[in-house]
């Protein structure tokens, strides 16, 4: 905030003493046109940015200036040169041209950067294509060798392609010597015997126990147990023999017991006895059958074992230890043991067949060979298992060796082209580095472009508020429509209530209203995130406005800027009524009382800024001046309506300012003064204002009568010395 101005040497200002200039938060400055108001604004604008501003101003904090003046008004409203229609268009805000220019420059730069990026991409793709060609050549040469080592896996071209060669593979790859390469080429996957599965015995493991059980069965007969019971109990044997003899001799006892003569037909004693003997026989025969099936199954298992031996236990198919001896002899040992065991099993099966034919024969013997147990022990020993485990381990090791050889051969062919690849990859990396740097530049430019878009978006938002304020405070029949990033065309409602372009442009008063509305909206939107202290300077915001719109502008500025002041405010005007009313409005509100009032006067071509008190800001001289002008018009024979304009209303407004505190509503003040002074209403407030706006055709007599009525009101209220009522 500017607290003092030490010296003013600028254009018409040449103040040697500025000690009386004490600037406050709100500063009201009045001075007629040509006295130096605009020069004061220009002085502040230029000197606040000067290097020696500490010698000119006493201020607090950093400052951000927001200045509304005729220059701002001209820069805000301009002729749309791009339009053939030539209508006047609203120009989107402070420094918008710079934003659009910067945006175009950035977009051009982005386009150039994108072109360079695309060029780099093409070059990178070309370099990558050369690397792919190199990798394809490496893959082809490598696969030709690998196909010899593992024909099944590397049979097709797809088995090893450029896709299998990563860029990282070149870094640690090494070549093989010619002899080492030849050695590895000879170690093919087909040279390695296959891994073997152990032969899993199932039935033969139980053969000894089965042989023992069969030996017992050969000694048994189906009736032995029943007969033995009779033999061991003499009395039971005699009774059974007697009962059977009686039954057989006498048919009378066919259905009766020979001992008790009870009917035994229902219990079928003899049939049950016979059945008992038959069941034991059938069970015995079934057991012999199962025994035979077991030994036949065992025989088949031994046969499968022999086939397995002949297919797998071969010198050329096995990895063996040095102390494992001759594999063929080992296989023969197992084959002989198997054949001997099969012979014994054939003997066992013959014994089972003989027993099945004569179950009650008890003298059948198993005449097994002396080598039965040895043959069985040989077959079930762990010797083969140990050998196969060793083979499988060695086979796995060989397979791993071949796989390692394949990897080394792959690395060999990659390493042969390492220097060529590195040179190509170096160029590609350099191109990628350039592309990435360009991408970073593009991103920075895109961010800047986005920032500009955000500024344009805020300007769009400000135009939304501008139209809102325009309709709320001033005109509902005017609006602005966007026609580009920065341009808005003006439109009006016609008599059909249709929006049409204002090809004839805006009036000077409308330009003033529009530009001040935009300025205030721009200031309010800018101060939200502002770190500096804002200084708002508004120079003559009522140019070309009638009295009614002057009041609206006053109230608009007060509500938007003065009602919630921030930083420092300067309001300048050539219209003393305007400054007087604003001061009165400030005094009657809760706005801060940190306020100064100044006048600018010019004497002998020198302007001076003088501080005055509230009581010194009077309107009596203005009332006298307007009164005398109106009186002279009445005394004249010819009245020019254009000269009359707002004088009657301005005279009444000056009168209201003296009489009342609240003078915002002209109609209310008009009605009140008529009532307070018991004045008969000849004309309404609207009648007086109609003349002000020249909206209705009136004759000279009517104009004279209205002026007379206004002068009568003044005469009755203040009784001036200069009054000369007609």
């Amino acid at each position: 905030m500017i607290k003092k101005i030490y010296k003013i040497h600028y254009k018409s200002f040449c103040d040697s003493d500025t000690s009386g200039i004490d600037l406050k938060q709100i500063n009201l400055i009045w001075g007629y046109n040509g006295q130096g108001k605009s020069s004061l604004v220009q002085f502040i604008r230029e000197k606040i940015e000067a290097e020696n501003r500490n010698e000119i101003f006493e201020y607090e904090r950093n400052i951000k200036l927001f200045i509304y003046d005729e220059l701002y008004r001209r820069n805000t409203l301009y002729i749309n040169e791009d339009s053939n229609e030539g209508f006047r268009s609203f120009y989107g805000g402070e420094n918008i041209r710079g934003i659009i220019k910067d945006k175009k420059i950035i977009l051009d730069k982005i386009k150039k950067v994108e072109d360079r990026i695309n060029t780099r991409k093409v070059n990178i793709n070309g370099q990558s294509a050369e690397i792919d060609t190199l990798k394809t050549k490496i893959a082809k040469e490598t696969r030709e060798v690998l196909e010899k080592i593992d024909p099944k896996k590397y049979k097709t071209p797809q088995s090893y392609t450029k896709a299998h060669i990563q860029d990282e593979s070149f870094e640690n790859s090494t070549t093989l010597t010619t002899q080492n390469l030849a050695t590895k080429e000879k170690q093919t996957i087909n040279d390695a015997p296959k891994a073997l599965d152990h032969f899993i015995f199932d039935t033969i493991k139980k053969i000894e126990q089965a042989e023992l059980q069969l030996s017992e069965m050969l000694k048994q007969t189906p009736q032995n147990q029943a007969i033995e019971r009779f033999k061991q109990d003499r009395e039971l044997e005699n009774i059974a023999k007697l009962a059977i003899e009686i039954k057989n001799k006498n048919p009378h006892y066919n259905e009766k017991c020979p001992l008790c003569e009870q009917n035994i037909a229902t219990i079928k004693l003899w049939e049950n006895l016979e059945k008992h003997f038959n069941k034991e026989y059938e069970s015995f025969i079934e057991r012999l059958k199962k025994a035979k099936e077991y030994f036949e199954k065992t025989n088949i298992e031994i046969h499968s074992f022999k086939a397995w031996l002949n297919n797998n236990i071969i010198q050329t198919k096995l990895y063996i230890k040095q102390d494992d001896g001759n594999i063929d002899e080992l296989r023969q040992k197992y084959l002989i043991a198997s054949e001997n065991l099969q012979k014994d099993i054939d003997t066992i099966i013959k014994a089972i067949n003989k027993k099945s034919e004569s179950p009650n024969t008890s003298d059948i013997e198993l005449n097994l060979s002396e080598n039965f147990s040895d043959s069985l022990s040989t077959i079930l020993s762990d010797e083969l298992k140990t050998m196969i485990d060793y083979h499988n381990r060695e086979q796995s090791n060989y397979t791993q060796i071949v796989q390692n050889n394949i990897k080394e051969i792959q690395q060999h062919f990659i390493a042969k082209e390492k220097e060529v690849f590195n040179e190509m990859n170096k160029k590609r990396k350099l191109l990628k580095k350039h592309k990435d740097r360009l991408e970073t530049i593009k991103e920075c430019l895109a961010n800047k472009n986005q920032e500009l878009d955000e500024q344009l978006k805020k300007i769009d938002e400000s135009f939304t508020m501008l139209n809102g304020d325009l309709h709320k405070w001033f005109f509902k029949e005017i609006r602005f429509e966007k026609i580009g990033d920065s341009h808005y065309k003006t439109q009006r409602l016609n008599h059909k209530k249709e929006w049409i372009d204002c090809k004839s442009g805006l009036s000077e008063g409308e330009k003033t209203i529009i530009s001040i509305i935009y300025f205030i909206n721009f200031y309010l939107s800018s101060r939200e995130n502002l770190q500096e202290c804002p200084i708002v300077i508004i120079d003559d915001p009522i140019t070309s406005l009638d009295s009614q719109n002057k009041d609206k502008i006053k109230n608009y500025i007060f509500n938007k800027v003065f009602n919630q002041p921030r930083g420092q405010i300067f309001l300048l005007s050539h219209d003393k009524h305007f400054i007087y009313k604003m001061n009165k409005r400030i005094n009657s509100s809760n706005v801060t009382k940190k306020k100064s009032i100044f006048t600018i006067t010019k004497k002998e071509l020198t302007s001076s800024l003088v501080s005055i008190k509230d009581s010194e800001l009077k309107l009596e001289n203005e009332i006298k001046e307007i009164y005398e002008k109106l009186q002279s018009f009445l005394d004249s024979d010819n009245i020019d309506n254009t000269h009359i304009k707002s004088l009657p209303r301005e005279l009444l407004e000056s009168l209201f300012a003296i009489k009342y505190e609240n003078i915002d509503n002209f109609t209310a003040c008009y009605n009140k003064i008529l009532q307070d002074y018991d004045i008969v209403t000849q004309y309404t407030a609207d009648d007086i204002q109609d003349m002000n706006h020249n909206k209705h055709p009136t004759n000279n007599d009517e104009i004279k009568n209205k002026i007379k009525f206004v002068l009568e009101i003044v005469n009755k209220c203040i009784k001036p010395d200069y009054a000369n009522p007609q």
Side-chain angles (χ1 to χ4, degrees):
M1 186 173 76
I2 302 173
K3 299 177 70 175
K4 281 189 174 296
I5 301 176
Y6 296 135
K7 57 184 178 181
I8 306 177
H9 290 287
Y10 189 84
K11 293 186 177 179
S12 59
F13 282 92
C14 188
D15 288 350
S16 58
D17 183 11
T18 56
S19 59
I21 301 175
D22 187 13
L23 301 175
K24 301 291 180 62
Q25 185 173 13
I26 295 176
N27 302 278
L28 303 178
I29 303 173
W30 168 74
Y32 290 119
N33 289 333
Q35 299 298 300
K37 297 190 304 301
S38 297
S39 297
L40 178 63
V41 173
Q42 292 173 22
F43 165 76
I44 295 175
R45 186 203 308 270
E46 293 182 15
K47 298 304 180 182
I48 204 70
E49 302 296 336
E51 293 183 0
N52 64 334
R53 65 177 179 177
N54 291 335
E55 301 174 5
I56 301 171
F57 301 105
E58 177 186 345
Y59 62 92
E60 297 177 350
R61 298 173 54 193
N62 291 328
I63 291 170
K64 172 65 176 178
L65 286 177
F66 295 87
I67 299 178
Y68 174 85
D69 56 5
E70 180 60 25
L71 178 64
Y72 184 91
R73 181 173 176 268
R74 287 199 307 269
N75 288 340
T76 304
L77 295 150
Y78 77 110
I79 294 294
N80 185 1
E81 298 173 354
D82 297 330
S83 172
N84 294 327
E85 298 176 349
F87 60 81
R88 191 168 292 276
S89 175
F90 191 72
Y91 188 70
E94 187 174 304
N95 200 32
I96 186 67
R97 293 181 180 177
I99 294 175
I100 299 301
K101 182 179 179 181
D102 291 345
K103 183 175 176 65
K104 184 179 183 306
I105 292 172
I106 287 175
L107 290 176
D108 289 342
K109 287 183 178 179
I110 290 176
K111 178 63 172 60
K112 291 178 181 178
V113 170
E114 286 178 342
D115 291 342
R116 293 175 65 188
I117 290 173
N118 291 332
T119 301
R120 294 296 186 277
K121 286 181 178 179
V122 170
N123 294 337
I124 290 170
N125 292 337
Q127 203 64 34
S128 296
E130 291 185 17
I131 290 174
D132 286 345
T133 301
L134 177 66
K135 288 182 178 180
T136 300
K137 172 178 172 290
I138 294 171
K140 182 176 180 298
E141 293 177 354
T142 306
R143 193 185 64 80
E144 289 174 353
V145 175
L146 298 184
E147 188 177 5
K148 299 175 184 177
I149 297 173
D150 192 347
K152 185 176 180 180
K153 183 176 180 181
Y154 294 100
K155 183 178 181 180
T156 64
Q158 291 75 25
S159 61
Y160 189 72
T161 66
K162 65 180 181 181
H164 295 87
I165 305 174
Q166 303 299 318
D167 292 349
E168 296 78 11
S169 304
F170 289 89
E171 185 175 353
N172 298 317
S173 61
T174 55
T175 57
L176 299 170
T177 63
T178 304
Q179 183 179 357
N180 199 358
L181 177 62
T183 301
K184 293 182 184 299
E185 287 180 9
K186 292 178 181 179
Q187 292 177 308
T188 68
I189 201 73
N190 292 336
D191 292 339
K194 295 181 179 178
L196 299 180
D197 294 328
H198 293 288
F199 188 89
I200 306 301
F201 291 103
D202 184 18
T203 59
I204 199 172
K205 290 181 179 180
K206 306 172 185 177
I207 195 170
E208 286 186 312
Q209 184 180 356
E211 185 267 332
L212 292 174
Q213 291 177 356
L214 180 61
S215 296
E216 293 296 325
M217 286 179 63
L218 295 176
K219 297 175 183 178
Q220 297 174 2
T221 62
Q223 292 124 346
N224 279 350
Q225 294 180 9
I227 294 171
E228 286 299 322
R229 286 197 298 272
F230 278 99
K231 287 181 179 180
Q232 291 174 8
D233 192 334
R234 180 67 62 181
E235 294 179 356
L236 181 60
E237 182 182 8
N238 291 334
I239 291 171
K241 286 181 178 180
L242 179 61
I244 291 172
E245 288 176 0
I246 295 171
K247 175 183 178 297
N248 292 335
K249 288 180 180 180
N250 194 342
H252 173 73
Y253 295 107
N254 248 355
E255 296 180 359
K256 294 181 181 180
C257 176
L259 302 177
C260 64
E261 293 190 353
Q262 291 186 23
N263 192 329
I264 61 174
T266 57
I267 65 173
K268 299 181 179 180
L269 175 63
W270 309 114
E271 289 83 347
N272 286 336
L273 185 60
E274 185 178 357
K275 184 178 180 181
H276 165 73
F277 285 115
N278 290 338
K279 184 175 182 181
E280 185 173 330
Y281 178 82
E282 290 174 359
S283 176
F284 185 78
I285 295 301
E286 183 66 26
R287 288 172 62 200
L288 287 174
K289 182 180 179 182
K290 288 183 178 180
K292 182 179 179 181
E293 289 176 355
Y294 165 76
F295 283 106
E296 288 177 342
K297 187 176 180 181
T298 303
N299 204 12
I300 293 172
E301 188 173 78
I302 295 173
H303 180 75
S304 298
F305 176 63
K306 289 166 62 179
W308 179 85
L309 285 170
N310 289 325
N311 288 332
N312 296 289
I313 308 304
I314 301 173
Q315 188 81 26
T316 57
K317 291 187 176 182
L318 287 172
Y319 289 107
I320 58 175
K321 298 178 183 178
Q322 293 181 356
D323 55 355
D324 280 345
N326 190 299
I327 294 299
D328 291 335
E329 292 178 359
L330 179 66
R331 184 179 70 257
Q332 289 300 322
K333 182 177 75 171
Y334 274 90
L335 288 173
I336 292 170
S338 299
E339 290 172 356
N340 290 337
L341 191 58
Q342 280 184 313
K343 290 178 181 179
D344 285 328
I345 291 173
D346 289 340
T347 300
I348 291 171
I349 291 173
K350 289 178 181 179
I352 293 172
N353 290 336
K354 186 176 181 181
K355 182 66 175 176
S356 298
E357 293 172 359
S358 304
N360 291 323
T361 303
S362 60
D363 59 351
I364 299 174
E365 297 289 341
L366 289 176
N367 296 318
L368 301 179
S369 66
E370 295 179 356
N371 298 324
F372 175 77
S373 296
D374 292 339
S375 297
L376 184 62
S377 297
T378 298
I379 291 172
L380 296 178
S381 70
D382 291 336
E383 187 176 9
L384 282 179
K385 180 180 181 303
T386 302
M387 185 179 66
I388 289 171
D389 286 344
Y390 175 81
H391 164 79
N392 286 342
R393 285 196 300 272
E394 291 300 309
Q395 193 273 346
S396 177
N397 290 338
Y398 180 82
T399 303
Q400 188 61 49
I401 289 170
V402 173
Q403 295 302 324
N404 291 339
N405 288 346
I406 289 174
K407 291 180 180 178
E408 290 182 18
I409 290 170
Q410 290 171 343
Q411 291 296 309
H412 167 76
F413 284 99
I414 291 173
K416 283 177 61 179
E417 304 294 344
K418 182 189 291 188
E419 292 184 6
V420 177
F421 169 81
N422 286 340
E423 188 64 27
M424 291 180 177
N425 198 40
K426 182 179 179 181
K427 293 179 181 178
R428 184 172 64 175
K429 284 183 177 180
L430 184 61
L431 290 169
K432 285 183 177 180
K433 183 178 179 181
H434 291 166
K435 182 184 77 70
D436 292 342
R437 181 175 60 83
L438 291 171
E439 293 282 6
T440 302
I441 294 172
K442 178 185 173 182
E443 184 178 355
C444 293
L445 291 172
N447 290 336
K448 290 181 180 179
N449 186 55
Q450 186 176 357
E451 291 174 3
L452 295 178
D453 285 339
E454 289 297 323
Q455 294 181 40
L456 292 175
K457 184 178 178 181
K458 287 184 178 180
I459 290 171
D460 276 345
E461 292 172 357
S462 72
F463 276 104
T464 301
M465 291 185 288
L466 179 134
N467 270 332
D469 285 354
L470 186 65
H471 295 162
K472 177 181 178 181
W473 290 85
F474 300 97
F475 318 115
K476 294 185 181 296
E477 68 276 10
I478 298 177
R479 74 175 184 185
F480 296 90
E481 287 294 309
K482 188 174 182 180
I483 57 175
D485 282 336
S486 61
H487 305 140
Y488 278 68
K489 62 183 177 181
T490 57
Q491 292 186 323
R492 292 184 185 275
L493 282 173
N494 64 11
H495 64 284
K496 296 180 181 180
K497 294 188 176 179
E498 297 172 336
W499 290 102
I500 60 172
D501 295 342
C502 302
K503 296 181 180 180
S504 59
L506 302 170
S507 70
E508 292 302 312
E510 288 168 342
K511 292 177 185 178
T512 297
I513 290 171
I514 289 168
S515 59
I516 192 64
I517 288 176
Y518 178 76
F519 170 78
I520 289 176
N521 274 286
F522 176 80
Y523 157 68
L524 292 176
S525 63
S526 300
R527 78 176 188 179
E528 293 178 4
N529 301 315
L530 193 64
Q531 300 298 319
E532 300 91 344
C533 174
I535 294 183
V536 182
I537 301 176
I538 303 175
D539 182 15
D540 256 341
I542 55 173
T543 302
S544 302
L545 296 184
D546 55 34
S547 297
Q548 187 175 9
N549 281 321
K550 286 180 182 178
D551 282 343
K552 289 182 180 180
I553 283 290
K554 175 197 63 147
N555 293 330
Y556 180 74
I557 293 174
F558 178 84
N559 280 275
K560 295 285 186 174
V561 181
F562 284 79
N563 201 29
Q564 295 179 337
R566 181 185 170 191
Q568 192 172 31
I569 303 169
F570 290 83
L571 179 63
L572 302 91
S573 179
H574 71 281
D575 191 322
K576 192 174 184 180
H577 291 82
F578 182 75
I579 297 296
Y580 182 90
K581 290 177 182 179
M582 183 63 80
N583 182 53
K584 200 161 190 177
R585 180 70 187 273
I586 293 170
N587 291 339
S588 62
S589 67
N590 294 324
V591 175
T592 176
K593 297 302 186 292
K594 293 181 179 179
K595 176 192 65 178
S596 292
I597 304 176
F598 302 92
T599 62
I600 294 181
T601 59
K602 193 171 187 180
K603 187 176 181 180
E604 295 180 357
L605 303 178
T606 300
S607 298
S608 297
L609 182 65
V610 180
S611 176
I612 63 173
K613 299 178 180 178
D614 281 29
S615 58
E616 298 179 78
L617 187 65
K618 298 179 180 180
L619 296 178
E620 281 79 357
N621 291 336
E622 281 69 24
I623 292 177
K624 179 180 179 181
E625 182 179 341
I626 297 172
Y627 188 98
E628 290 176 348
K629 284 183 179 180
L630 289 174
Q631 188 66 55
S632 65
F633 288 147
L634 289 178
D635 295 339
S636 174
D637 293 333
N638 296 317
I639 298 179
D640 187 350
N641 292 350
T642 58
H643 292 163
I644 299 255
K645 288 185 80 173
S646 61
L647 289 181
R649 177 187 165 105
E650 289 179 7
L651 180 60
L652 290 176
E653 284 180 335
S654 299
L655 179 63
F656 298 158
I658 296 173
K659 295 295 183 180
Y660 303 123
E661 290 296 323
N662 188 349
I663 57 175
D664 291 338
N665 190 312
F666 177 83
T667 301
C669 291
Y670 182 84
N671 293 334
K672 181 173 177 56
I673 206 162
L674 294 181
Q675 182 180 358
D676 290 347
Y677 288 91
D678 196 21
I679 300 173
V680 177
T681 304
Q682 297 181 26
Y683 298 99
T684 66
D686 287 342
D687 293 334
I688 303 300
Q689 293 184 96
D690 285 344
M691 182 172 62
N692 178 42
H693 294 296
N694 291 323
K695 289 186 177 180
H696 302 288
T698 53
N699 56 44
N700 288 348
D701 290 338
E702 184 179 351
I703 294 173
K704 284 185 176 182
N705 290 333
K706 287 181 179 180
I707 293 174
K708 287 179 181 180
F709 181 67
V710 170
L711 295 180
E712 288 174 3
I713 294 172
V714 175
N715 291 336
K716 195 163 187 178
C717 294
I718 61 175
K719 299 178 181 180
D721 298 337
Y722 45 81
N724 183 21
Q726 297 295 318

